């Protein structure tokens, strides 16, 4: 796999940037080629400076860290893996990587299914595995709210279980095994209608900058960087701690269910009603995490959802159109929130290859059918008989979510409540055979193109890409503020990373060409 990938990268490097983009790879990753001997040198220096915190290929713990990524297609072979015991060590290590001019990445929960972002071939992976602090800080404190200090190693279920002992929660991820970097892409929560993006609930980031210093980033110390980090992914530094506003939560109604293929149309109709004016999505206590899928080799439909309702009503009206569909597995009940999140554990398996690509469409009577139909048409045309599951998770974004985001100080995503509601359509594929990678990619790109064209024709296009659900060839940050945020984000990068280290040496969703003209 690592060898195949290296060959792919070398071949790409010899193509023009335009041809690389046409081949479906972000042309910017061509800038991030391996730097062989420099990596070896940097790993040796790190290993002397940080005993027990640098893993080399072949060593016992290396394999576990290199494969602690949800998508098997993202399992690569770093030259070494740096697992600092403290934030200070992480920051000092970053300074060494910068001085040695090597390519490096950060990996926390490892759930971003984009090969080459959280791990890489030949460069250095900085794994936040040992940064596990969890401390509840009560008022009075400078942020004026109770908050959780949390090291970036956490998975969301751990956070919820910890806070639940105190009758609290935070607006974070929806699936048990997902990690902290969700906060760097905005972050969609079950509580987003009440509390905005997950990132809007960060009161402070502790960040290791390119110059090796460790800084607190909040509304008082660095308002511009604070804004940019809420959506800015790996463009500014490596986060060594998140301070998260906490809120009360009692028992909730919720659970995970699946529906038989024969109920797919009923599900699509129920979600259509849910997202339209007067539908269940307008109840800020109600959230769903639905998806539909199709297996071209069997012709079978599948669908299901997670439900969360903040309250002990055992049959909330907002969800009734969906809860009344007969289920084939799973159950819904009034229970602890951690139990609901634990019911998503089926998503945690690291047993296959995945791709995510995101688009967005306004909420309208035609929306759900449009998304389903193009998924099917393209799958039947491009993947006949292929053993894979392809489909979409259609995630409602409400006006009150976008309003709450702005009320809490805003973020780089900067979406206008007056342009809501809309849905994020995360087109996904999952499969086992690496030989299918290119075909699934072709299906994804064709489906997104067809959806966007059709949506535009109907006046339903929503020109924004959610970074957390984006795919390799997409440019989510370029769509923030409908194109208006990136200038300000680049100015912030020039201020805190004047050499452009996080643009040139760190792969990921970047700020665009301006900062790395050297490539
Ligand atoms: C099953 C599943 C469910 C999901 N559910 C949701 C959801 O409910 N809501 C939602 O918003 N998103 C969701 N996502 C998307 C998810 O939020 C993103 O993939 C997110 O990046 C995952 O964070 P992580 O720490 O696990 O990722 P990683 O793969 O570790 O990191 C993702 C990116 O952040 C960078 N990074 C990692 N650690 C750091 C750090 N400490 N500092 C700076 N940069 C860092 C990496 O280099 C990489 O570019 C889901 C994804 C999956 C696979
Ligand atoms: C870092 O390495 C790249 C090539 O890998 C080179 O183009 C660049 O000039 C180097 N930067 C510095 C500051 O040495
Ligand atoms: C859940 O609802 C209660 C009661 O309305 C409210 O106090 C609490 O803040 C809500 N929790 C979340 C996470 O929204
Ligand atoms: C799958 O769902 C679609 C949309 O409702 C429907 O047209 C199709 O007949 C379903 N296929 C099967 C095999 O159930
Ligand atoms: C339930 O579905 C009906 C019929 O489509 C619709 O009128 C109603 O608004 C829906 N209710 C909710 C809460 O979504
Ligand atoms: C699809 O692939 C999986 C994993 O290899 C296998 O278990 C399953 O039987 C295959 N299904 C079909 C229909 O070939
Ligand atoms: C690193 O950069 C930050 C932000 O620009 C600055 O405050 C700090 O003094 C710098 N540290 C060093 C050691 O240069």
């Amino acid at each position: 796999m690592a060898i195949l990938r290296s060959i792919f990268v070398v071949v790409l490097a010899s193509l023009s940037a335009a041809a690389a983009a046409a081949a479906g790879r972000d042309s910017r990753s061509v800038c991030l080629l391996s730097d062989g001997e420099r990596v070896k040198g940097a790993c040796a220096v790190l290993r002397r400076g940080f005993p027990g915190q640098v893993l080399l290929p072949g060593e016992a713990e290396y394999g576990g860290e290199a494969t602690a990524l949800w998508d098997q297609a993202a399992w690569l072979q770093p030259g070494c893996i740096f697992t600092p015991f403290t934030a200070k060590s992480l920051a000092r290590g970053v300074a060494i990587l910068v001085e040695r001019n090597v390519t490096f990445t950060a990996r926390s929960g490892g759930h971003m299914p984009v090969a080459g972002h959280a791990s890489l071939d030949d460069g250095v992976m900085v794994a936040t595995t040992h940064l596990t602090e969890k401390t509840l800080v009560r008022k009075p404190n400078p942020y004026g709210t109770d908050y959780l200090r949390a090291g970036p190693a956490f998975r969301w279920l751990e956070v919820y279980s910890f806070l639940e002992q105190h009758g609290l929660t935070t607006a974070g991820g929806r699936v048990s095994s997902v990690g902290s970097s969700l906060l760097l892409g905005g972050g969609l929560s079950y509580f987003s209608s009440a509390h905005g993006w997950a990132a809007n609930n960060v009161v402070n980031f502790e960040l290791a900058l390119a110059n090796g210093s460790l800084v607190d980033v909040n509304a008082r110390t660095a308002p511009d960087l604070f804004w940019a980090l809420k959506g800015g992914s790996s463009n500014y530094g490596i986060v060594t701690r998140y301070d998260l506003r906490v809120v009360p939560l009692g028992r909730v109604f919720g659970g995970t269910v699946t529906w038989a293929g024969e109920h797919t149309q009923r599900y699509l109709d129920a979600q259509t009603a849910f997202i339209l004016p007067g539908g269940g999505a307008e109840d800020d206590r109600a959230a769903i995490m639905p998806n539909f899928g199709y297996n071209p080799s069997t012709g079978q439909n599948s669908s299901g959802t997670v439900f969360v309702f903040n309250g002990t009503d055992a049959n909330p009206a907002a969800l009734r159109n969906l809860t009344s569909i007969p289920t084939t597995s799973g159950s819904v009940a009034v229970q602890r929130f951690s139990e609901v999140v634990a019911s998503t554990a089926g998503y945690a398996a690291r047993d296959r290859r995945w791709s995510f690509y995101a688009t967005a469409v306004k909420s309208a009577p035609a929306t759900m059918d449009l998304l389903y139909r193009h998924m099917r048409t393209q799958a039947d045309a491009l993947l006949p008989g292929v053993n894979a599951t392809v489909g979409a998770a259609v995630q409602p974004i409400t006006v009150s979510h976008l309003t709450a985001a702005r009320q809490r100080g805003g973020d780089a995503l900067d979406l206008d409540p007056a342009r809501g509601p809309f849905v994020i359509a995360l087109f996904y594929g999952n499969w086992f055979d690496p030989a299918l990678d290119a075909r699934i990619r072709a299906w994804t790109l064709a489906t997104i193109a067809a959806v966007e064209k059709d949506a535009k024709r109907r006046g339903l296009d929503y020109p924004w890409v959610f970074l957390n659900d984006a795919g390799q060839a997409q440019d989510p940050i370029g769509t923030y503020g409908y194109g208006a945020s990136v200038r300000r984000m680049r100015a912030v990068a020039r201020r805190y990373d004047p050499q452009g280290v996080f643009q040139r040496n760190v792969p990921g969703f970047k700020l665009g060409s301006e900062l790395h003209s050297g490539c």
Side-chain angles (χ1 to χ4, degrees):
M1 176 58 211
I3 292 166
L4 278 178
R5 208 183 138 74
S6 307
I7 292 170
F8 187 38
V9 169
V10 169
V11 169
L12 265 181
S14 65
L15 300 173
S16 71
R25 285 266 313 192
D26 186 340
S27 58
R28 280 167 300 193
S29 44
V30 173
C31 303
L32 303 163
L33 290 180
S34 90
D35 23 21
E37 291 310 308
R38 288 206 303 268
V39 169
K40 282 211 177 75
C43 291
V45 172
L46 284 176
R47 201 167 162 101
R48 282 196 297 276
F50 305 97
Q53 298 160 71
V54 177
L55 310 169
L56 295 172
E59 292 180 349
E61 290 168 56
Y62 175 95
E65 291 287 352
T67 61
L69 291 101
W70 184 68
D71 162 25
Q72 284 196 358
W75 291 6
L76 304 175
Q77 286 273 318
C80 66
I81 302 177
F82 178 39
T83 59
F85 291 153
T86 65
K88 275 210 176 83
S89 298
L90 186 149
R92 278 168 46 220
V94 166
I96 291 167
L97 297 171
V98 171
E99 188 204 320
R100 302 242 153 196
N101 189 18
V102 298
T103 304
F104 63 99
T105 61
R107 196 219 71 226
S108 293
H111 270 60
M112 180 168 273
V114 183
H117 282 201
S119 184
L120 75 182
D121 282 331
D122 306 329
V124 178
M125 183 210 275
V126 181
T128 61
T129 312
H130 296 304
L131 305 183
T132 57
E133 175 181 2
K134 276 188 208 71
T135 314
L136 182 59
V137 182
R138 296 290 193 172
K139 284 190 286 194
N141 62 58
Y143 305 113
T145 175
D146 292 350
Y147 69 92
L148 177 73
R149 288 165 60 103
F154 70 75
R155 308 305 179 96
W156 289 102
L157 179 56
E158 293 166 34
V159 166
Y160 301 141
S161 301
F162 176 84
L163 289 173
E164 201 164 73
Q165 304 163 35
H166 306 279
L168 297 168
T169 197
T170 190
R174 297 172 300 172
V175 168
S176 56
S177 58
V178 171
S180 59
S181 316
L182 173 141
L183 294 159
L184 295 173
L188 184 57
S189 159
Y190 295 118
F191 305 113
S192 283
S193 280
H195 302 286
W197 300 108
N200 300 125
N201 299 282
V202 176
V203 296
N204 179 64
F205 298 90
E206 184 188 70
L207 186 70
L209 294 173
N211 70 5
S213 67
L214 206 52
V215 293
D216 275 319
V217 181
N218 58 60
R220 200 172 34 81
T221 58
D224 54 349
L225 181 54
F226 186 52
W227 169 85
L229 272 177
K230 291 183 270 179
S233 196
S234 63
N235 282 292
Y236 298 98
I238 299 184
V239 178
T240 52
R241 200 185 70 238
Y242 295 90
D243 295 338
L244 303 171
R245 176 179 182 273
V246 295
V247 283
L249 184 69
R251 286 154 70 84
V252 301
F253 171 81
T256 302
V257 301
T258 62
W259 298 303
E262 67 195 88
H263 297 307
T264 298
Q265 193 57 50
R266 191 165 163 193
Y267 148 66
L268 293 170
D269 293 343
Q271 187 169 353
T272 299
F274 185 81
I275 63 176
L276 288 178
E282 288 183 356
D283 186 334
D284 288 354
R285 297 169 295 180
I288 57 175
M289 192 184 82
N291 82 87
F292 58 74
Y294 174 65
N295 184 330
S297 70
T298 61
Q300 288 300 307
N301 286 322
S302 55
S303 58
T305 192
V306 183
F307 292 108
V308 172
F309 182 84
N310 178 7
T312 53
D313 181 346
N315 189 13
L319 300 173
R320 208 163 289 152
N321 285 334
L322 288 151
T323 51
S324 62
I325 303 171
T327 61
T328 45
S329 73
S331 62
V332 196
V334 174
Q335 53 188 330
R336 284 183 279 125
F337 180 56
S338 63
E339 293 177 290
V340 177
V341 175
S343 77
T344 67
Y347 288 104
R350 287 178 284 138
D351 63 347
R352 65 191 69 191
R353 309 170 82 77
W354 282 90
S355 82
F356 280 11
Y357 269 77
T359 187
V361 180
K362 285 182 187 147
S363 299
T367 302
M368 294 304 299
D369 280 313
L370 182 152
L371 295 169
Y372 181 85
R373 190 160 35 75
H374 289 296
M375 180 283 287
R376 265 304 288 273
T377 306
Q378 297 301 329
D380 289 337
L382 300 175
L383 301 172
V386 167
N387 184 5
T389 301
V390 293
V394 184
Q395 317 181 88
I397 305 298
T398 61
V399 171
S400 66
H401 166 162
L402 301 175
T403 304
R406 289 205 166 162
Q407 279 167 354
R408 303 239 154 129
D411 47 71
L413 280 54
D414 199 23
L415 300 182
D416 182 358
R419 291 175 71 164
F422 68 94
V423 297
I424 296 168
L426 184 189
F427 283 98
Y428 68 86
N430 69 67
W431 66 101
F432 294 90
D433 181 359
L436 288 173
D437 291 6
R439 291 184 72 183
I440 305 282
R441 175 186 297 276
W443 165 81
T444 314
L445 296 176
T447 302
I448 296 231
V451 163
E452 289 179 352
K453 188 171 166 210
D454 195 354
K456 195 156 203 167
R457 195 173 55 80
R458 296 162 187 261
L460 297 179
D461 53 313
Y462 193 89
W464 172 75
V465 173
F466 185 35
L467 184 143
N468 280 353
D469 294 342
Q472 189 99 51
Q474 293 189 296
D475 174 22
I477 291 176
T479 70
Y480 284 8
Y482 318 104
S485 293
V486 71
R487 271 181 78 89
R488 185 173 163 201
M489 294 178 78
R490 286 177 190 151
V492 175
R494 278 193 294 268
R495 181 153 167 215
Y496 291 94
D497 177 17
Q499 296 181 322
V501 168
F502 283 93
Q503 301 308 305
R504 279 185 289 101
N505 292 39
V506 179
F509 292 118
K510 298 287 111 171
L511 301 176
S513 56
E514 191 175 297
L515 287 168
H516 49 82
S517 49
C519 291

